[in-house]
Amino acid sequence: VLAHELGHISRSHGRFGAWIHRLGHSWSSVLESLDERGFAGSGVARRLLGWYVPRLAACTVALEREQEHEADRAAADAAGARHAALALVRATALAPAVGRYWDGVYRRVVDDAAPPPAVFAGVADAVLAVPHADGKAAVDRALALTTETTDTHPALAERLAAIGCGAGALDVADALAPPALSAADALLGRDTHARLRERLSSRWYHSVQDGWMER
């Protein structure tokens, strides 16, 4: 996972994404300004943008998918194709549980006057509690999907095949087995991991506190 994200960083993918979104926003702002001023040529501009913007969006999404493949290749080169593939499978299996966890956190605003503390400790608990059957079902659903033209990420089966480790070559049970030692503990040490988790939880708490209390 770290190698995948470092692959994005080393290729400046985030910088490209920010630039392309600014470009789209700039064109929209130009059109709005022409309409507000009643510019006589705004109809021509609207037709031009009606042709250009969808093509810009389609090319952008295609490039984003290629960037994911590029980062996957970086992960496979750094950690080995099998490890990169297992990480993709495990992330897919756990994603629904992570989503449910955060949904539950934000629903607590109805009853709790303040955000929950130590919120990131709860993420680890949520993913470790995922039943094997639920994780496998999530992976099976993902493997049945194909990449759509509007997807920013390629489908799981396509990503696995691209790094030379198709689903048939993987032991899904191996990917879903909870680790004896978390990667964060192994790489950082338990004490450092705990401190970073507390720092992240504190930063999240203060970033949402005002909006939480207002709601």
Side-chain angles (χ1 to χ4, degrees):
V1 172
L2 290 174
H4 175 95
E5 298 307 330
L6 287 170
H8 281 306
I9 293 170
S10 69
R11 303 291 182 161
S12 299
H13 290 167
R15 185 179 302 171
F16 168 81
W19 173 78
I20 204 75
H21 285 296
R22 286 198 304 271
L23 180 64
H25 179 71
S26 296
W27 279 111
S28 298
S29 297
V30 167
L31 184 58
E32 290 174 7
S33 178
L34 292 176
D35 285 344
E36 288 174 0
R37 297 179 184 181
F39 180 62
S42 62
V44 175
R46 182 172 291 282
R47 286 194 295 275
L48 172 63
L49 291 181
W51 174 87
Y52 173 73
V53 171
R55 285 161 177 77
L56 174 65
C59 290
T60 299
V61 172
L63 283 170
E64 288 175 334
R65 287 196 297 271
E66 180 51 39
Q67 287 175 352
E68 291 303 320
H69 279 310
E70 195 171 18
D72 284 345
R73 289 193 294 270
D77 289 342
R82 180 176 176 276
H83 290 301
L86 289 175
L88 287 172
V89 171
R90 185 162 178 78
T92 300
L94 301 179
V98 175
R100 289 193 298 271
Y101 171 77
W102 284 108
D103 287 344
V105 166
Y106 285 106
R107 280 198 299 269
R108 290 171 62 175
V109 73
V110 175
D111 301 306
D112 297 350
V119 69
F120 281 98
V123 176
D125 295 336
V127 298
L128 289 174
V130 174
H132 180 275
D134 291 355
K136 187 176 185 307
V139 172
D140 289 342
R141 288 194 298 270
L143 288 173
L145 298 176
T146 56
T147 304
E148 301 291 339
T149 56
T150 55
D151 290 337
T152 59
H153 286 59
L156 178 60
E158 180 182 327
R159 296 178 72 176
L160 295 173
I163 59 175
C165 200
L170 291 175
D171 182 355
V172 174
D174 188 20
L176 300 183
L181 180 67
S182 78
D185 285 340
L187 292 170
L188 303 171
R190 291 185 186 275
D191 291 342
T192 302
H193 178 201
R195 287 197 300 272
L196 287 173
R197 192 170 56 211
E198 290 170 5
R199 187 184 303 175
L200 281 173
S201 294
S202 175
R203 186 175 296 175
W204 175 85
Y205 182 97
H206 291 294
S207 71
V208 304
Q209 184 177 21
D210 290 345
W212 185 286
M213 296 181 72
E214 181 179 350
R215 288 190 63 187

